[in-house]
């Protein structure tokens, strides 16, 4: 059955049936990290959100070109247009080259994404590698009359643009709101209007990241990179642009203005934004100093954390909430996610222990389409997970001997769980330690319980009870089933 995905288009503020402009090809651009520090939980959410979208679009038959950029120049410390470049500042403090900072943190970001089972994008362009394209973009905007040069810098003329188009249509702001909330900063005198934003900045003598341009030795404004690289790799019209909702204004609003000012119409068909992760109701982020790095989660090394959490626990925690809802961090929520993931994986493992019967007295016929329906409804991953837990109850009832399942229905359950748990949601089985010791422990426990089964068959109750009692004392929960046994280690 053909699946039709409906997505929430931030631009139109409603759900719309996803109909790609170039079916069956899909162009998807997602704003990636600024690499001047370790990835934190706030970085994980957009990466996982759009990884699931990438996976699902591919599964339902689209050929997706997924572009996720790396910001390695032009993201300034104090404001989009003022202050020191964040990467240059880090390089100055550490006494290294800026690209050493970029490479170091990019390697760590990739390692964290691999741990989270986030697929690599089709293309991962760097802003610093596309200076020519950004200069060309600025020149096109100047030629069309929507920008002006001032003291070697080039600024976008927001007021002029707003007379011909609608500045603020993505964020819902009007120009008066923007003017009233724009701070007066050093260097604002270069601008005609405080709301104007930099397309190109003249570099001060101490600024080490600079390139020649028709206007000055300088560097591109932060907003220019995504418009220029999106156009280069996906064309003047592409399907999806995504990122965190904190980018709606000013970054994505400025992107829309740049694309319309340079080519005459919108570049993007669907805008999609994931919501924030908060701690005690406050946004998690580097600028607020309340972030927890992904490595700290994996190691349990932050004082806020009650324990270490595996990458799949983090992924499951994020997927338990709809991508457009806020997720508030707590140890209790992560511990609940850990237990929920464990139950789901135990049910998947149990599928291989079931011996099919001649007949089924459970109904699995609607489960697959229910999962599809949830995904098609704006990627409702928590509902998909709820349906998978319904399937897990079926599995557990069969294992307990309360229900029967035939070979065809068992095969269907295995396919559903593999498809939606692993291929679409991107979960995976985890080994608790890198050297595989936990897997070895599991094999030892299995061997002991197999000896217990033999002891029971021989009516050697003393040996049977001894094995069970010793394992229980060590924290193992043992359950006898009609097909043998199940066990779990209680934490």
């Amino acid at each position: 059955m053909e699946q039709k995905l409906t997505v929430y288009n931030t631009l139109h503020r409603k759900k719309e049936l996803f109909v790609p402009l170039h079916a069956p090809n899909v162009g998807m651009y997602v704003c990636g990290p600024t690499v001047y520090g370790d990835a934190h939980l706030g970085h994980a959410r957009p990466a996982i959100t759009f990884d699931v979208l990438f996976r699902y679009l591919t599964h339902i038959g689209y050929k997706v070109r997924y572009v996720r950029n790396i910001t390695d120049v032009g993201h300034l410390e104090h404001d989009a247009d003022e202050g020191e470049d964040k990467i240059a500042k880090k390089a100055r403090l550490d006494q290294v080259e800026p690209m050493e900072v970029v490479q170091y943190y990019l390697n760590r970001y990739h390692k964290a994404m691999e741990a989270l089972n986030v697929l690599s994008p089709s293309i991962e362009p760097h802003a610093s590698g596309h200076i020519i394209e950004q200069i060309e973009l600025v020149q096109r905007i100047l030629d069309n009359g929507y920008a002006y040069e001032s003291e070697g810098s080039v600024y976008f003329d927001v007021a002029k643009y707003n007379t011909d188009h609608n500045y603020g249509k993505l964020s819902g702001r009007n120009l008066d709101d923007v003017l009233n909330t724009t701070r007066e900063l050093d260097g604002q005198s270069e601008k005609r209007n405080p709301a104007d934003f930099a397309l190109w900045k003249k570099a001060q003598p101490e600024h080490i990241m600079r390139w020649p341009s028709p206007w000055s030795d300088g560097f591109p404004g932060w907003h220019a990179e995504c418009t220029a690289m999106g156009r280069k790799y996906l064309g003047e019209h592409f399907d999806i642009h995504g990122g965190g909702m904190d980018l709606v204004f000013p970054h994505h609003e400025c992107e829309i203005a740049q694309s319309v000012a340079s080519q005459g119409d919108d570049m993007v068909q669907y805008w999609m934004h994931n919501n924030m992760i908060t701690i005690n109701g406050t946004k998690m982020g580097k600028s607020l100093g309340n972030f927890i790095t992904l490595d700290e989660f994996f190691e349990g090394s932050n004082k806020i954390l009650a324990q270490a959490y595996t990458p799949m626990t983090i992924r499951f925690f994020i997927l338990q909430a709809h991508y457009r809802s806020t997720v508030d961090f707590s140890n209790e929520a992560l511990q609940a996610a850990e237990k929920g993931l464990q139950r789901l994986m135990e049910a998947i493992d149990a599928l291989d222990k079931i011996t099919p019967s001649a007949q089924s007295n459970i109904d699995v016929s609607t489960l697959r389409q229910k999962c599809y329906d949830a995904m098609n409804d704006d990627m409702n991953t928590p509902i998909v997970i709820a349906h998978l837990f319904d399937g897990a109850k079926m599995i557990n009832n069969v294992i307990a001997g309360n229900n029967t399942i035939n070979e065809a229905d068992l095969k269907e359950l295995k396919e559903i769980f593999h498809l939606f748990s692993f291929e679409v949601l991107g979960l995976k089985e985890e080994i608790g330690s890198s050297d595989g010791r936990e897997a070895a422990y599991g094999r030892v426990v299995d061997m002991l319980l197999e000896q217990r089964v033999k002891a029971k068959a021989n009516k050697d109750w003393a040996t049977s009870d001894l094995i069970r009692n010793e394992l229980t004392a060590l924290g193992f929960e043992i359950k006898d089933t009609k097909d043998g046994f199940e066990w779990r280690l209680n934490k």
Side-chain angles (χ1 to χ4, degrees):
M1 180 178 177
E2 182 182 1
Q3 304 302 326
K4 295 183 178 180
L5 173 62
T6 299
V7 298
Y8 184 87
N9 190 342
T10 308
L11 181 61
H12 297 152
R13 295 171 180 78
K14 64 180 181 180
K15 291 182 182 179
E16 298 178 349
L17 182 64
F18 178 75
V19 182
L21 296 178
H22 305 103
N25 299 318
V26 172
M28 183 168 80
Y29 190 101
V30 175
C31 289
T34 303
V35 281
Y36 67 100
D38 279 330
H40 55 75
L41 194 61
H43 290 125
R45 193 169 195 193
I48 290 170
T49 295
F50 293 101
D51 179 63
V52 171
L53 180 59
F54 182 30
R55 288 170 178 271
Y56 189 63
L57 288 172
T58 301
H59 167 68
I60 62 177
Y62 294 109
K63 182 179 179 181
V64 184
R65 177 176 288 176
Y66 176 16
V67 180
R68 185 183 67 204
N69 75 295
I70 298 298
T71 298
D72 58 359
V73 66
H75 203 166
L76 305 186
E77 185 181 14
H78 300 306
D79 178 75
D81 295 342
E82 301 298 330
E84 190 173 3
D85 185 288
K86 293 179 179 181
I87 290 169
K89 179 182 179 181
K90 181 72 173 171
R92 176 174 57 79
L93 293 174
D94 292 351
Q95 296 184 324
V96 297
E97 286 290 328
M99 288 303 125
E100 287 184 75
V101 173
V102 171
Q103 195 64 55
Y104 176 79
Y105 287 109
L106 183 57
N107 290 345
R108 293 174 67 82
Y109 175 78
H110 286 156
K111 184 178 178 182
M113 293 303 105
E114 182 179 0
L116 291 169
N117 205 27
V118 171
L119 300 176
S120 298
S122 313
I123 304 172
E124 192 174 56
H126 290 228
S128 64
H130 296 77
I131 301 298
I132 292 173
E133 289 82 359
Q134 292 175 80
I135 290 173
E136 291 173 347
L137 171 68
V138 175
Q139 189 61 61
R140 286 175 69 172
I141 296 172
L142 276 167
D143 292 344
N144 290 339
Y146 292 110
Y148 57 90
E149 183 182 350
S150 176
E151 299 181 27
S153 295
V154 180
Y155 293 97
F156 190 93
D157 193 334
V158 171
K160 171 66 167 30
Y161 174 84
N162 196 55
T163 61
D164 301 329
H165 305 285
N166 178 11
Y167 182 79
K169 65 181 182 180
L170 180 67
S171 60
R173 304 188 186 200
N174 62 51
L175 189 55
D176 289 337
D177 292 336
V178 176
L179 289 172
N180 291 335
T181 57
T182 302
R183 296 182 296 131
E184 289 294 332
L185 297 162
D186 292 339
Q188 289 276 29
S189 59
E190 293 182 2
K191 302 181 181 182
R192 296 176 183 173
N193 185 314
D196 295 348
F197 57 90
L199 297 170
W200 184 268
K201 285 288 291 182
K202 180 180 179 179
Q204 298 303 310
E206 68 275 10
H207 200 102
I208 57 178
M209 298 177 74
R210 59 172 67 212
W211 292 264
S213 79
W215 316 288
S216 64
D217 278 4
F219 55 92
W222 170 38
H223 310 304
E225 63 180 272
C226 292
T227 304
M229 293 190 292
R231 176 179 288 147
K232 177 178 178 65
Y233 294 110
L234 299 174
E236 292 195 346
H237 301 98
F238 60 88
D239 303 296
I240 298 172
H241 196 317
M245 67 173 295
D246 56 324
L247 298 177
V248 170
F249 187 89
H251 185 50
H252 289 165
E253 195 73 76
C254 293
E255 279 197 61
I256 290 177
Q258 289 171 158
S259 66
V260 174
S262 61
Q263 68 184 39
D265 60 358
D266 284 326
M267 183 180 291
V268 178
Q269 177 84 340
Y270 300 94
W271 287 88
M272 297 179 66
H273 295 90
N274 63 272
N275 214 320
M276 297 181 294
I277 292 181
T278 58
I279 297 181
N280 298 322
T282 302
K283 176 192 170 186
M284 179 183 288
K286 281 190 174 70
S287 60
L288 299 174
N290 66 348
F291 66 97
I292 305 172
T293 71
L294 291 173
D295 280 348
E296 287 173 335
F297 273 106
F298 303 158
E299 298 164 1
S301 57
N302 190 294
K303 64 182 180 180
I304 299 175
L305 300 174
Q307 63 180 77
Y309 298 98
T310 69
M312 285 304 100
T313 298
I314 301 297
R315 187 174 181 111
F316 191 72
F317 167 68
I318 289 172
L319 293 175
Q320 279 185 305
H322 190 268
Y323 77 91
R324 288 194 289 111
S325 65
T326 302
V327 175
D328 197 55
F329 159 82
S330 70
N331 280 288
E332 293 76 16
L334 274 169
Q335 288 163 355
E338 182 179 57
K339 291 177 181 177
L341 177 62
Q342 184 179 15
R343 290 199 305 272
L344 186 62
M345 290 301 168
E346 286 173 353
I348 294 171
D349 289 342
L351 282 166
D352 291 328
K353 301 175 183 178
I354 294 175
T355 301
S357 303
Q359 293 182 334
S360 287
N361 59 6
I362 60 173
D363 182 12
V364 304
S365 61
T366 61
L367 184 59
R368 182 188 293 259
Q369 192 55 48
K370 284 179 179 178
C371 291
Y372 273 125
D373 290 344
M375 283 301 300
N376 291 337
D377 184 17
D378 196 27
M379 288 207 315
N380 205 327
T381 58
I383 300 300
V384 175
I385 291 170
H387 291 318
L388 291 175
F389 276 122
D390 289 339
K393 290 178 184 177
M394 298 179 192
I395 295 167
N396 292 334
N397 277 324
V398 172
I399 290 286
N402 300 325
N403 292 108
T404 60
I405 187 169
N406 63 28
E407 187 172 352
D409 286 346
L410 179 59
K411 181 174 181 288
E412 173 69 357
L413 268 185
K414 287 181 178 179
E415 289 180 357
I416 290 169
F417 273 89
H418 183 272
L419 169 60
F420 287 99
S421 298
F422 301 141
E423 290 187 27
V424 174
L425 297 184
L427 301 171
K428 66 178 181 180
E429 299 272 9
E430 288 182 306
I431 295 175
S433 57
S434 59
D435 60 4
R437 284 176 294 177
E438 189 167 304
Y441 296 155
R443 290 193 292 272
V444 171
V445 174
D446 284 341
M447 289 171 58
L448 285 170
L449 290 175
E450 285 164 4
Q451 291 302 313
R452 180 172 174 268
V453 170
K454 291 178 181 177
K456 287 174 65 178
N458 294 329
K459 298 186 179 182
D460 182 358
W461 309 119
T463 300
S464 170
D465 290 344
L466 177 64
I467 293 172
R468 183 185 185 97
N469 292 341
E470 290 293 330
L471 287 173
T472 300
L474 291 171
F476 291 91
E477 181 182 325
I478 312 299
K479 182 189 293 185
D480 292 318
T481 69
K482 66 176 184 177
D483 295 318
F485 57 81
E486 291 180 9
W487 63 269
R488 60 182 290 180
L489 178 61
N490 293 321
K491 296 192 175 183

